Amino acid sequence: MTMRLAVPLALAAATTVAADRPAAATAPTVAGISGWARMDYPLPDDDIRIFVDAHGLFTPHDQAVPAQSWGTFRIQHLMPQTDGKPPLFNWGNFKVDCVRVDGPDVAVTGRIFDAGPFWQEFLHRERPARMGLSFHVPAPGGGVTRIGITPPTADGQPELPKCSTKAPNADAIEGGYTVMDTRRY
C-alpha cells in the first residue's frame, strides 16, 4: 500500500516544483563549446590541433537533444617528414549538426565541407562524411582536458549517428576550451 501512495505523492511533488519554476525556465536555452587545443599523440613531433565553435539550442521539452545546432570545427594534422622533405599537412573543416553537453562532457558531430589532400575522399561520397569530437573539460583545477576524434564510417556502411562519439582518449597539451551552458534543470 505504501508503494501505491509513493507514486501519486512523487507526481504531486514534481508538478508543484514545475509550477513554481520561473517563466525563464520555459524559454529555449543554449549550450556549447569553443576554443582550440593541441592533442597529445604517440608521435610527439606530429602536431594535431582541434578547433571548435559549436552550439545547440535546447527547448524546455528536451534539454538533452538540441532542437538546433550550429557552428564549425576543424581538425588539422601537421606531420614532419624525414630526409629534408617538407612536412605533410592535412585538415578538414566540418559544419556542426549536433552538440550534446552534459556538465564537463561534450559531444559534437558535423559533416565535412572542405578538406586537405588526404580527406578529399570524405567530400566526394554520396553524402559528405560525418565525424565526431568528444571533450572532457573539467572545472579549473579539476584535472586535464581530454579530446577524442570519432572517424567516419567506411563508405557503404551506416553513417555515424548525430552526437554519437567515442570517449575522449587523448590529453590536451596546449590551448583549451570553454563550455557554456545556460540550461537550468
Side-chain angles (χ1 to χ4, degrees):
M1 185 166 188
T2 305
M3 203 172 215
R4 288 183 186 169
L5 292 176
V7 173
L9 290 176
L11 287 175
T15 304
T16 303
V17 170
D20 291 341
R21 286 187 184 157
T26 62
T29 53
V30 177
I33 185 170
S34 61
W36 72 274
R38 181 174 178 198
M39 190 171 108
D40 192 21
Y41 193 67
L43 302 172
D45 290 338
D46 283 33
D47 188 338
I48 299 174
R49 294 179 187 237
I50 310 295
F51 301 82
V52 64
D53 185 23
H55 308 278
L57 179 70
F58 296 83
T59 67
H61 305 293
D62 192 344
Q63 292 289 302
V65 178
Q68 179 182 357
S69 295
W70 67 93
T72 59
F73 64 87
R74 177 183 176 97
I75 302 170
Q76 67 182 41
H77 188 168
L78 182 68
M79 301 159 273
Q81 299 297 298
T82 58
D83 303 329
K85 294 178 185 174
L88 299 175
F89 183 65
N90 193 40
W91 52 273
N93 291 330
F94 297 79
K95 181 179 178 188
V96 170
D97 61 17
C98 191
V99 177
R100 189 180 68 239
V101 178
D102 185 15
D105 299 313
V106 180
V108 179
T109 54
R111 289 196 184 280
I112 196 164
F113 68 86
D114 199 9
F118 302 107
W119 284 355
Q120 286 293 310
E121 68 176 278
F122 297 149
L123 283 170
H124 302 295
R125 293 181 174 185
E126 186 175 321
R127 290 185 78 184
R130 177 181 288 138
M131 287 182 71
L133 299 175
S134 55
F135 305 90
H136 176 74
V137 184
V144 176
T145 295
R146 308 264 302 153
I147 307 166
I149 299 173
T150 304
T153 57
D155 206 9
Q157 297 295 313
E159 73 177 350
L160 179 71
K162 286 183 177 181
C163 272
S164 178
T165 62
K166 295 179 180 180
N169 59 357
D171 291 348
I173 57 175
E174 185 181 343
Y177 299 103
T178 301
V179 175
M180 184 261 311
D181 192 347
T182 64
R183 294 175 295 171
R184 293 188 181 108
Y185 299 99

